[in-house]
Amino acid sequence: MSQETLSNLLKENRRFAPPQELAAAANVKADAYDEAAADRLGFWARQAERLSWAKPWEQVLDWSNPPFAKWFVGGELNAAYNCVDRHVEAGLGDRVAYHWEGEPGDTRTLTYADLQREVNKAANALLELGVRKGDRVAIYLPMIPELPISMLACARIGATHSVVFGGFSADALRTRIDDAQAKVVITADGGYRRGKPSALKATVDEAVKDTPSVEKVLVVRRTGEEVAWHERDLWWHEAVDRQSDRHEARPHDAEHPLFILYTSGTTGKPKGILHTTGGYLTQVAYTHWAVFDLKPESDVYWCSADIGWVTGHSYIVYGPLANAATSVLYEGTPDTPHRGRWWEIIAKYKVTIFYTAPTAIRTFMKWGEDIPAKYDLSSLRIIGSVGEPINPEAYVWYRHHIGADRCPVVDTWWQTETGAIMISPLPGVTEGKPGAAMHPLPGVVADVVDDTGTPVPNGGGGFLVLKEPWPAMLRTIWGDDERYVKTYWSRFEGMYFAGDGAKRDEDGDIWLLGRVDDVMLVSGHNISTTEVESALVSHPKVAEAAVTGATDPVTGQAIVAFVIPRGAAETEAEGEEFVKELRDHVAKTLGPIAKPRQILVVPELPKTRSGKIMRRLLRDVAEHRSLGDVTTLTDSSVMDLIAAKLPSAKPED
Ligand code: 6R9
């Protein structure tokens, strides 16, 4: 961004107060903010008491060598013990940890006692395969119980796991295995996606041809499809099932590497984000309890993310299990075998807390509200969102059609790098505003600054920064301390820069405005993609929108929008009238400066597996360039569909 800060165009007046009953019984009340502000480290030290420590820490935070933090210095604990064994010891062995639902409809119920036996067996098997404390294990599995079991088995013996999305290519898997020098890969013959088996083992075979670090490949049988077999391969049911279900968990240092998770970034080689044990587990446990108001005895919690995304690590595995929660774990897609599948699952398990992504919500808007209306969603009490800014209209739709106007929506901002939720409403405290992530959580210090690092006044836009270290922060980029410092701590002196644009509204509340790399410079104004997209989604005929800036001889950059119409509006969306209506609607909502030069009606948008729109590919299309890297797309054929729309669409006046 240049001279001016980010424009603040969108006005929103709707407010939703927390339901009285929920507020009265909430885990966290308003005083938590003051308590944490008065003594931030003391606050985090109290949150660390949620965990069982084998050896107490001597110092809460060592920040003597920034940006390299050490939290709970000298403390020792075992993450798997904290997530499983201690609950069994406390008499909760019969509590369900996971209601697992396979895509074809098969199910498995794992209690905490079951989980303990399975994790111990897997830990013993890994030891037999030669995995030792400090080694890395790559995990490339579908959403089946063996995935959390493998992660916990690694954590138990002090091996560092690196989970790679089941959708990634052999090449992406190979670079990740190689960067971490993984000794073992855990995979499956395949998993179920969209009603059919989707192979995984063949991709691993391809990847490990060139990864000398890999000694063994452990394979879960899930689909029963035929797989090629090599000397290094072992079946899970042969190597794991025969192991003893007892294993003594040894404590590890609070700063022992728990996992590496790769983020693709926009350019260059993927970054291996390193998380360690004590601080990470403290903050995921606290935030899962605080943001979702978790009552572990009675809640049934479901996060629909893939575990291959950080959201799954923190809010399907470590947070919920550290809190002894009961969760739903679902293998497949939302439209298999029918478009009501997710709502059917909520009704079946009486889910009380539901956490999903804006992209899913917008897809449900497109499919129509008559689908969720057929299911009993009355068990729900809190609904959450993560991954992208939630457009105000999507928020209101979610609150109304899924949350029955009764459930608070928690819009949670965080990143792979932050490890845990940083900015979010608290469901029993915050008066929610559709589209706003509101306030940093207690113990978190965030700000919006201009390009000199000065805080912007209320009503202003700029860069989102974090001003104090936090327990779940990344410790470095695996094997590349220099890149860690350069990428996150160099833009503003003494501050972590997250890469996101944000604004403070007139009340001082924080709104996320998308990646600053995507900001458009139109006639000297910095316009965020998020605000224009939200304006488009606020039109009743639009389900989803993505905008990008394309070079323009007159304005510098011009706004090009790609929109998906809502189900009912699909036919009329073909006409010129529709495009004009939308352009006028944006001009009316945000002002003429934000009026798109061009609007293309498309059937789909390019997205990553975690549902983020890849705007840089849309920019390539809009500027008639050949496409950049498409390997992280869920479905690369989408780009052909979009490109096919382009020649017929002429720039408007
Ligand atoms: C958890 C996760 C991080 C980026 C982040 C931001 C975007 C995530 C958001 C949000 C607006 C929210 N993001 N949550 N933007 N509002 N509630 O998504 O991690 O995959 O590393 O992505 O996602 O742009 O910087 P990750």
Side-chain angles (χ1 to χ4, degrees), residues 389-411:
I390 181 166
N391 321 98
E393 224 43 55
Y395 175 115
V396 169
W397 188 95
Y398 189 33
R399 198 186 135 85
H400 183 68
H401 293 288
I402 307 304
D405 290 324
R406 165 178 45 83
C407 305
V409 176
V410 286
D411 173 17

Side-chain angles (χ1 to χ4, degrees), residues 263 309-311 355 358 385-390 411-418 423 437 498-500 512-515 610 612:
T263 65
W309 179 24
V310 72
T311 303
Y355 192 27
S385 169
V386 58
E388 284 199 301
I390 181 166
D411 173 17
T412 63
W413 178 88
W414 59 295
Q415 306 176 296
T416 306
E417 292 86 343
T418 69
I423 305 180
D500 284 339
L512 274 300
L513 296 180
R515 308 292 298 171
S610 65
K612 294 192 212 304

Side-chain angles (χ1 to χ4, degrees), residues 314-396:
S314 300
Y315 297 105
I316 296 178
V317 182
Y318 289 109
L321 294 179
N323 289 333
T326 294
S327 298
V328 170
L329 182 63
Y330 173 55
E331 179 186 30
T333 44
D335 52 355
T336 308
H338 57 80
R339 290 177 165 183
R341 184 64 188 274
W342 280 14
W343 318 124
E344 186 177 77
I345 291 173
I346 290 179
K348 174 174 174 185
Y349 293 104
K350 301 199 166 34
V351 170
T352 58
I353 304 169
F354 180 55
Y355 192 27
T356 194
T359 180
I361 299 167
R362 292 185 304 248
T363 300
F364 296 128
M365 288 169 72
K366 178 172 72 179
W367 291 347
E369 52 263 22
D370 50 314
I371 298 175
K374 290 189 202 115
Y375 298 87
D376 177 7
L377 306 180
S378 62
S379 53
L380 288 172
R381 61 183 200 93
I382 289 171
I383 54 181
S385 169
V386 58
E388 284 199 301
I390 181 166
N391 321 98
E393 224 43 55
Y395 175 115
V396 169

Side-chain angles (χ1 to χ4, degrees), residues 41-101:
L41 297 183
F43 171 81
W44 284 120
R46 280 190 294 286
Q47 304 319 320
E49 302 287 355
R50 298 170 181 280
L51 306 177
S52 302
W53 295 79
K55 184 167 165 254
W57 62 86
E58 287 134 29
Q59 192 187 354
V60 177
L61 169 67
D62 176 358
W63 191 234
S64 57
N65 180 30
F68 299 94
K70 292 196 178 103
W71 281 86
F72 307 113
V73 185
E76 290 183 1
L77 76 170
N78 185 292
Y81 174 83
N82 272 279
C83 288
V84 184
D85 305 56
R86 63 171 179 150
H87 305 318
V88 178
E89 286 168 17
L92 303 176
D94 291 337
R95 179 178 293 173
V96 174
Y98 291 119
H99 292 289
W100 177 75
E101 178 93 14

Side-chain angles (χ1 to χ4, degrees), residues 158-170:
T160 301
H161 59 71
S162 162
V163 178
V164 180
F165 246 143
F168 278 170
S169 66

